Amino acid sequence: MSTSGDGGTLALGLPMAVPAPGLPARVRIHEVGPRDGLQNEKATVPTEVKAEFIRRLADAGLTTIEATSFVHPRWVPQLADAEQLFPQVRDLPVDLPVLVPNTRGLERALALDATRVAVFASATESFAKANLNRTVDEALAMFEPVVRQAKDAGAHVRGYLSMCFGDPWEGQVAVEQVVRVCRALRDMGCDELSLGDTIGVATPGHVGRLLTALNEAGVPTGSLGVHFHDTYGQALANTLAALQHGVTTVDASAGGLGGCPYAKSATGNLATEDLVWMLRGLGIDTGVDLDRLVATSAWMAGQLGRPSPSRTLRALSHKEQ
Ligand code: MG
């Protein structure tokens, strides 16, 4: 494929847009790079760099950017600067959800005028135990006042649900178990749920089965987002399956930042570039400028000192040279 070489989007190349039946016209990307992507980085990323990353992502057209987490600094040292970071970006014309693990975290977020928060629950007993040292029901009981107080404050609440398709300790996870926890989070008041494939073991039929079961259990598909990891190379196939079942919110991480701490392989979050490439090819509107997004992720990879695992970013970067 030839390139024009005169700069701009065309020089980077885009797929031919060929719509496929049964897919939404528009998808909202929930960008998790600054939070989920950076949280396991060992070397501390300066607050200014995080703020610049978020600004550049907003400039690239992402409208929902998960900015940071108000966890206790001891748990996630990388995000210990939430109080310093959030005020630097909160006036951007985009949604900036923040993770809140408990009522203390919620209070810190609300004190800085956060209007969208997220809680992090587990579909499985083993992960609830490992991550929160609680049973699933104890963890839900812990989140109930967080969600209630957030709703009382007028905040939008997203509920993350990890291990929806498999668990490193328990192996297979029953669809019924995931449905039960999803319903509990909805009943609690969560506006949106994000179905996490934390270890990347989902395959498209499994995705369809869970989404069908949730629909039959009365959980509105419009309230669901999907959070796929590319550990086994299935993230885009799973995304397509979710879109075919009516999902229109997809989580992704710029440059594919962020691995899963429970999977040894290097690949973790679905890269936003790879997602945008597929959606562009399907003629689905995301509002994202792929050229600017690639430049942002390449810049961030430079800050971190190692190449991005995103296939699309690599392909487009080679094209640039
Ligand atoms: Mg993730």
Side-chain angles (χ1 to χ4, degrees):
M1 196 189 296
S2 67
T3 60
S4 69
D6 58 359
T9 309
L10 281 174
L12 285 172
L14 287 167
M16 187 164 90
V18 183
L23 295 176
R26 186 173 173 83
V27 161
R28 181 173 64 89
I29 297 176
H30 185 109
E31 170 61 48
V32 299
R35 197 277 302 168
D36 188 12
L38 292 183
Q39 68 180 5
N40 293 317
E41 284 293 325
K42 292 224 164 28
T44 304
V45 178
T47 307
E48 291 301 330
V49 171
K50 293 174 185 169
E52 181 63 17
F53 186 34
I54 293 169
R55 279 186 217 109
R56 290 183 187 216
L57 289 169
D59 191 48
L62 288 152
T63 55
T64 307
I65 305 169
E66 200 160 294
T68 186
S69 173
F70 287 86
V71 295
H72 192 287
R74 197 170 54 227
W75 295 359
V76 186
Q78 181 63 258
L79 304 182
D81 60 351
E83 254 90 8
Q84 290 73 46
L85 172 64
F86 193 72
Q88 292 188 37
V89 295
R90 70 182 163 201
D91 293 332
L92 289 169
V94 296
D95 290 331
L96 294 166
V98 294
L99 203 63
V100 293
N102 49 33
T103 49
R104 175 74 191 115
L106 175 67
E107 285 159 10
R108 289 170 58 205
L110 293 177
L112 292 173
D113 299 327
T115 57
R116 300 176 83 92
V117 299
V119 297
F120 199 94
S122 168
T124 66
E125 295 294 344
S126 301
F127 190 66
K129 188 78 184 164
N131 200 40
L132 299 164
N133 199 26
R134 284 172 166 82
T135 67
V136 166
D137 287 335
E138 285 168 354
L140 290 172
M142 183 181 81
F143 291 132
E144 200 275 333
V146 183
V147 174
R148 180 164 27 86
Q149 287 177 37
K151 295 302 297 173
D152 287 349
H156 177 279
V157 182
R158 161 176 261 230
Y160 277 104
L161 198 58
S162 58
M163 306 296 174
C164 289
F165 299 92
D167 176 298
W169 300 279
E170 297 178 26
Q172 296 182 7
V173 176
V175 165
E176 297 73 26
Q177 168 72 2
V178 183
V179 170
R180 182 180 83 81
V181 183
C182 282
R183 287 202 49 153
L185 288 168
R186 283 289 295 172
D187 290 346
M188 212 179 272
C190 286
D191 299 287
E192 176 181 285
L193 302 178
S194 172
L195 306 172
D197 181 19
T198 316
I199 55 171
V201 293
T203 45
H206 193 171
V207 172
R209 179 175 292 179
L210 176 59
L211 290 169
T212 300
L214 285 166
N215 182 261
E216 287 170 359
V219 178
T221 306
S223 72
L224 297 174
V226 287
H227 186 113
F228 293 124
H229 283 185
D230 209 27
T231 322
Y232 295 86
Q234 307 297 300
L236 283 178
N238 291 335
T239 300
L240 184 57
L243 299 182
Q244 287 166 336
H245 282 78
V247 168
T248 58
T249 299
V250 180
D251 295 6
S253 180
L257 284 174
C260 172
Y262 303 95
K264 288 273 183 275
S265 129
T267 46
N269 287 314
L270 168 61
T272 312
E273 292 78 7
D274 297 3
L275 174 63
V276 170
W277 181 272
M278 182 179 80
L279 297 178
R280 280 294 293 252
L282 288 164
I284 296 172
D285 181 23
T286 63
V288 174
D289 181 325
L290 187 57
D291 186 350
R292 287 185 184 179
L293 175 61
V294 164
T296 297
S297 294
W299 169 81
M300 194 64 211
Q303 295 291 323
L304 296 173
R306 61 167 194 281
S308 158
S310 163
R311 304 274 183 90
T312 299
L313 186 144
R314 278 191 230 160
L316 295 180
S317 299
H318 281 300
K319 202 179 281 289
E320 252 185 328
Q321 288 159 7

